[in-house]
Amino acid sequence: MEDINYIKHLNGVFAQFSKDNRLNPTHISLYIGLFQLWNFNYFMEEFYINREEAMAFSKIGSKSTYHRCIRELSHWNYIRYIPSHNPFKGSRIKMFNFGTTNGQAMDWNSPKLGTSIGQALVSINKPLQKKKNQINIDKQKNHKNSSFQDEENGTKQKTTVPYGDNLKTRREKDYNEPL
């Protein structure tokens, strides 16, 4: 069993995929399906696969597409594919380790690498958020202060609830007192 770091390996292989113009989404899907089968086999140096299972994991529906992609991945040295030609035995696969470093994986494309000791903070657009909140607060205040008026006569209407605070929500509650 090999010592494989799941994340480092995937980051390494995705970096390799981004450089390789020969690959199409079917190749990548098949590789990810094979990687999952490799994971299920505890990252053994070589393991056997079932074509139907590999096709199901990679969502490939055509046997010819599957065989073309697995041969090309093997030819391009992403995997080593050893076909068995025996439907009861299964083909052998050897996956290569793309996460080869033991240390912390670094993003060399990021500016000023290693200049921060703390966690990166993401700014939130507070002025807009405060302005929206203030508008909503003002609406609530205006609604509370407004009394219902009859538009035709300009007279105030009576509220439908005779005692507006019957649940005692506007003042301190005495929980020993019944509602």
Side-chain angles (χ1 to χ4, degrees), residues 29 33 44 56 80 84 92 112 115 118 125 138:
S29 176
M44 299 291 290
R80 181 179 303 145
S84 71
R92 283 189 307 175
K112 298 180 183 176
T115 58
N125 198 349
D138 291 342

Side-chain angles (χ1 to χ4, degrees), residues 74-131:
S74 182
H75 181 71
W76 297 332
N77 293 324
Y78 286 98
I79 62 171
R80 181 179 303 145
Y81 171 61
I82 303 128
S84 71
H85 304 294
N86 181 351
F88 300 107
K89 188 175 181 184
S91 300
R92 283 189 307 175
I93 297 288
K94 177 179 172 139
M95 304 284 284
F96 298 117
N97 188 356
F98 284 90
T100 57
T101 62
N102 290 329
Q104 173 71 31
M106 298 289 191
D107 184 7
W108 297 105
N109 296 326
S110 67
K112 298 180 183 176
L113 186 62
T115 58
S116 174
I117 11 177
Q119 181 178 355
L121 298 177
V122 178
S123 66
I124 297 175
N125 198 349
K126 287 290 186 184
L128 289 177
Q129 191 175 22
K130 285 182 180 178
K131 187 175 181 180

